[in-house]
Amino acid sequence: MSTDGHRRTASQSADMSRRGKILLVGLGPGDLEQMTGRAQAAIAAAEVVIGYRTYLRSIAPLLTGKTVVARDMAEEMARCREAVARAEAGQVVALVSSGDVGIFGMAGPLYEHLLERAWTPETGIEVEVVPGVTAASACASLVGAPLTHDFCAISLSDLLTPWSVIAARLEAAARADFVTVLYNPQSRRRTDQMREAQAILLRHRPSDTPLAIVHAAYRPRQSVELTTLERLLEHDVGMISTLIVGNSSSIAQAGVMVTPRGYRRKYDDLDAGVKPGESPRHSLSSGFAGWRHALIEHAGRHGIAATARMLGAPPTRILEALIESPASPLGVVRAPNPTTLFEQALHWPNALVHLNLTQSPATALEAILELSDAVQRQGPGADGAPATLSGPGWRLELPWTAVVSAYQVSDHHQIAAWFQSASGETLLRIERPR
């Protein structure tokens, strides 16, 4: 096995006319038996194999007679440049990653590098992605069946992603009750991220939520521990560990972790028939149609804001659902011009302005202002100037560029104008009694 990353044979240098190829190969968790047949065939077909030296050691028996370019961690772009240069010289190159090459792997940076060079499949080197068994499924197989319902994967590495982005994704996953697979949870230099991730998850999950720690899956130092979210920090976790955090229905029993798919919502028990009102081949009574019916009924009784809080959904989603339903007790119309609706609403008699102070349906803290004759009103300017309300000693500005949609909502008691942000939250609404 040659480790000279720049040596080319005379025949390879001479044959510059043939089209080179890059095989992006997912190696799986690290054991040759867990590699796909296509991945092994891709390595066999390659003249050059490029990768992180630890990953290359795991496939050493397959590298006999190959030119091997072994790189260190954090040299991903150097690997891409080397792979492209060799493929452009007519060689068949395998650029490898552990797990699946397209999940936190080398496929992304390689394609980014190619696209920056105006590469196209028709005119440039050939590229093939060879998928592999990713850490999420490999680790889940050692634990039981924790991923049999909706789940997401989040890397805690902030080497390339701002922590604010990671924290927002953790918050969203926790609120949405996803089973959450945490890649790259901790290293010698990164010791605080996992603690903060635990704190975010515990704001939305019970302390006894099942949690699996899988270390070095399918490698010689493999270990598996089942614990709880509350006790995570008591365990040894490193870069080659993967964490699987259960959702509200996950259970740990008899040494396995399982997330039920939901059969008991439809069946009295797993050996008996369906529950009254359910059908094996149709959506749950609480499925989309049921959810839509409950949304409309709740909004008619309690209002749009309360329904958004109850469902944990942006108010725009509620407004759009009401537009699409002819059975809605609320009349909802999407305004073709938010500015026109705003200027009209500013002059409604006895109107109240509800200003959202939190941009969060969970807290929904708002200020309420009465539009009396003493309040000065000014609509947004054509140049993007904010809309303003002012009075003695105070001034309120609404950045109009933040408004992307508006709705007029009416029932027997009042009429209201809702002004929504790009994220679907309510910036303000103006109401007046009928």
Side-chain angles (χ1 to χ4, degrees):
M1 180 173 72
S2 168
T3 57
D4 182 354
H6 301 283
R7 184 180 304 151
R8 292 182 175 86
T9 67
S11 62
Q12 289 168 344
S13 298
D15 187 9
M16 302 293 284
S17 61
R18 71 185 177 109
R19 192 183 188 203
K21 180 174 183 177
I22 295 178
L23 296 157
L24 289 157
V25 183
L27 302 179
D31 179 36
L32 291 180
E33 292 185 357
Q34 300 298 321
M35 284 183 68
T36 67
R38 176 65 191 124
Q40 296 200 35
I43 299 297
E47 302 163 77
V48 183
V49 182
I50 302 174
Y52 175 43
R53 62 182 71 253
T54 299
Y55 302 156
L56 294 174
R57 282 197 291 267
S58 72
I59 59 168
L62 306 180
L63 300 179
T64 302
K66 310 290 182 186
T67 297
V68 176
V69 181
R71 296 280 188 175
D72 291 323
M73 187 68 74
E75 294 184 338
E76 292 84 2
M77 297 315 299
R79 289 180 234 163
C80 291
R81 289 191 295 270
E82 180 81 21
V84 171
R86 288 180 175 271
E88 287 179 340
Q91 294 181 303
V92 177
V93 181
L95 181 58
V96 304
S97 285
S98 66
D100 184 292
V101 70
I103 300 177
F104 302 119
M106 290 300 300
L110 187 279
Y111 274 117
E112 287 183 64
H113 180 62
L114 288 172
L115 293 172
E116 286 178 353
R117 295 163 58 92
W119 168 90
T120 68
E122 295 75 25
T123 62
I125 57 177
E126 185 179 354
V127 179
E128 178 185 346
V129 178
V130 181
V133 178
T134 189
S137 54
C139 294
S141 71
L142 297 171
V143 171
L147 306 183
T148 49
H149 213 316
D150 296 340
F151 69 94
C152 67
I154 300 174
S155 171
L156 296 190
S157 173
D158 56 2
L159 293 177
L160 299 172
T161 306
W163 179 253
S164 59
V165 174
I166 297 171
R169 290 171 179 169
L170 288 166
E171 185 78 29
R175 284 186 58 202
D177 200 30
F178 280 108
V179 174
T180 306
V181 183
L182 299 179
Y183 284 62
N184 307 314
Q186 187 165 266
S187 68
R188 288 190 298 271
R189 289 188 295 271
R190 293 187 300 103
T191 58
D192 295 329
Q193 287 86 340
M194 190 174 73
R195 184 185 303 274
E196 180 63 19
Q198 179 200 39
I200 292 171
L201 292 166
L202 281 172
R203 288 203 289 269
H204 303 275
R205 307 277 171 92
S207 59
D208 62 351
T209 296
L211 183 145
I213 303 171
V214 182
H215 181 81
Y218 292 98
R219 302 180 200 176
R221 295 170 55 200
Q222 172 185 299
S223 66
V224 179
E225 296 178 275
L226 286 179
T227 183
T228 63
L229 181 57
E230 181 182 41
R231 303 186 66 180
L232 167 60
L233 302 181
E234 301 173 15
H235 298 268
D236 185 24
V237 175
M239 272 294 289
I240 58 174
S241 303
T242 301
L243 311 181
I244 303 178
V245 185
N247 69 6
S248 60
S249 64
S250 300
I251 57 174
Q253 185 177 329
V256 298
M257 180 176 170
V258 177
T259 301
R261 181 69 193 277
Y263 290 99
R264 293 190 183 277
R265 294 191 181 99
K266 181 169 286 191
Y267 299 90
D268 286 317
D269 61 62
L270 299 186
D271 296 320
V274 295
K275 294 180 179 180
E278 304 291 356
S279 170
R281 297 178 181 271
H282 291 85
S283 298
L284 279 170
S285 58
S286 58
F288 183 79
W291 176 85
R292 179 66 64 87
H293 177 76
L295 178 156
I296 293 166
E297 186 175 82
H298 194 277
R301 292 182 178 179
H302 305 287
I304 294 166
T307 302
R309 289 194 295 272
M310 186 268 291
L311 295 174
T316 296
R317 188 182 303 170
I318 312 301
L319 289 160
E320 288 291 332
L322 292 171
I323 286 176
E324 296 168 3
S325 173
S328 170
L330 299 173
V332 181
V333 178
R334 191 184 303 108
N337 189 327
T339 301
T340 301
L341 178 60
F342 183 73
E343 291 174 343
Q344 291 173 351
L346 286 179
H347 295 89
W348 285 344
N350 303 316
L352 296 177
V353 175
H354 296 252
L355 179 66
N356 190 347
L357 301 180
T358 58
Q359 290 295 284
S360 168
T363 51
L365 181 64
E366 63 181 13
I368 301 176
L369 170 68
E370 183 178 357
L371 286 178
S372 66
D373 292 338
V375 176
Q376 300 297 312
R377 308 158 172 85
Q378 183 174 341
D383 58 353
T388 62
L389 301 174
S390 60
W394 63 271
R395 178 183 176 89
L396 173 66
E397 291 190 353
L398 174 66
W400 199 248
T401 54
V403 176
V404 299
S405 60
Y407 301 81
Q408 183 168 307
V409 181
S410 58
D411 60 19
H412 296 301
H413 306 291
Q414 67 177 13
I415 186 170
W418 292 66
F419 300 91
Q420 306 299 113
S421 70
S423 65
E425 302 299 343
T426 303
L427 296 168
L428 64 79
R429 71 181 189 273
I430 302 175
E431 298 177 350
R432 74 169 176 87
R434 283 194 179 275

